[in-house]
Amino acid sequence: MENFMVPVFNVGGKPCEDENGVLKYVDGTVHKFEAMDVDLLNIPDLEEMAKSSFGFPVYNAMHWVVPNAANFEFGLRKIKKDSDILELRNSVVDNHCVDFEIYFEHPVFVLIVADDVEVDRVEVNVNAGCVNLDSDVEEESSSHDS
């Protein structure tokens, strides 16, 4: 059975706690894509959609949010392997969602230029004062399961 839903990408922001200690994704932009069959959803396609739409070639992490979660922090799930995609798919289908949210964390680089020549490129920490989503998460293998 085909299950068409709209992927909604949240990029360019960072997870930060507000003044009440509630985790939110701030300073990002939102982009809705055309509806797609979530039964065909996979990590390489999500990566390609992000790369072609937003131009960033790398990212630190990709997450999705469980529909109807009590809050953003409680519903946030990392996408690292095929079983994560399966969990996303099952959750959005079971909850009869119209769309599903994907959040990206990606590095920000600053070019160091001297005499109009690029000298170096360094990564800056844009999450200063914000939450590290991986602080309490056990690291898993970064390869996709097949």
Side-chain angles (χ1 to χ4, degrees):
M1 179 178 178
E2 293 178 335
N3 295 291
F4 283 89
M5 294 169 197
V6 176
V8 179
F9 282 24
N10 296 269
V11 298
K14 56 190 175 275
C16 286
E17 290 182 351
D18 66 11
E19 62 278 353
N20 298 319
V22 176
L23 187 67
K24 299 188 183 271
Y25 189 81
V26 298
D27 299 332
T29 58
V30 177
H31 180 78
K32 284 190 171 194
F33 289 87
E34 294 291 321
M36 64 184 295
D37 186 348
V38 292
D39 294 328
L40 304 176
L41 189 63
N42 61 71
I43 293 171
D45 284 351
L46 291 174
E47 292 172 336
E48 182 55 37
M49 289 166 71
K51 183 178 179 181
S52 64
S53 298
F54 307 108
F56 55 88
V58 297
Y59 63 92
N60 293 338
M62 180 176 15
H63 303 270
W64 67 282
V65 176
V66 175
N68 304 320
N71 59 46
F72 178 76
E73 185 173 10
F74 182 74
L76 204 59
R77 303 287 188 270
K78 190 172 235 180
I79 299 174
K80 290 179 74 172
K81 54 190 178 193
D82 292 341
S83 60
D84 301 328
I85 292 290
L86 184 59
E87 182 184 359
L88 181 162
R89 182 246 175 247
N90 290 341
S91 181
V92 296
V93 169
D94 291 347
N95 284 286
H96 308 288
C97 295
V98 174
D99 56 19
F100 59 94
E101 300 268 340
I102 302 290
Y103 292 83
F104 285 91
E105 291 180 70
H106 49 89
V108 173
F109 293 96
V110 173
L111 297 179
I112 299 173
V113 178
D115 298 325
D116 294 329
V117 176
E118 181 181 331
V119 176
D120 198 3
R121 184 178 130 163
V122 295
E123 185 175 345
V124 294
N125 180 8
V126 295
N127 290 333
C130 294
V131 175
N132 177 356
L133 295 178
D134 294 327
S135 61
D136 297 322
V137 177
E138 182 180 322
E139 275 303 310
E140 301 175 20
S141 167
S142 63
S143 63
H144 307 288
D145 358 307
S146 295

